[in-house]
Amino acid sequence: RDPAKGDRLRRTFGVTVCDNLDDLLRDSPAFVVVSVGWAAAPELTTELHARGVPVLCETPPAPGRADLDALWDRLGPHARVQVAEQYVFQ
């Protein structure tokens, strides 16, 4: 989402950086880890779900309760979306 940051990641870590979902999904990944800011996470999660891609989100997957409720309403109870939670290990 940020070309300068993408270039920096490419150079620093030698990883492939995709600028859009079509490029990201070209190789049919088994799932996608959504690790973007709160404002972008619900939309990206919804788009991946709509394309049939399982999602692992960081905690929390939306900025607030109303946003979480709206995300749930869009995805439904059978969406292949998992929220990573580490508190059980603390």
Side-chain angles (χ1 to χ4, degrees):
R1 295 178 313 125
D2 178 337
K5 192 174 189 179
D7 287 339
R8 192 167 55 249
L9 290 169
R10 248 186 226 105
R11 287 191 313 275
T12 302
F13 298 106
V15 297
T16 301
V17 176
C18 299
D19 300 309
N20 60 69
L21 279 183
D22 290 332
D23 288 346
L24 176 68
L25 301 178
R26 185 163 287 130
D27 292 329
S28 302
F31 66 96
V32 171
V33 177
V34 172
S35 57
V36 297
W38 279 353
E43 181 179 339
L44 183 56
T45 299
T46 300
E47 178 64 24
L48 288 163
H49 170 70
R51 292 180 183 218
V53 179
V55 175
L56 176 64
C57 294
E58 290 191 55
T59 307
R65 176 63 189 262
D67 301 301
L68 287 169
D69 289 342
L71 181 60
W72 175 263
D73 289 343
R74 285 194 303 273
L75 299 179
H78 302 293
R80 296 185 334 168
V81 175
Q82 179 70 44
V83 179
E85 185 56 73
Q86 299 298 316
Y87 293 118
V88 297
F89 300 111
Q90 292 185 1

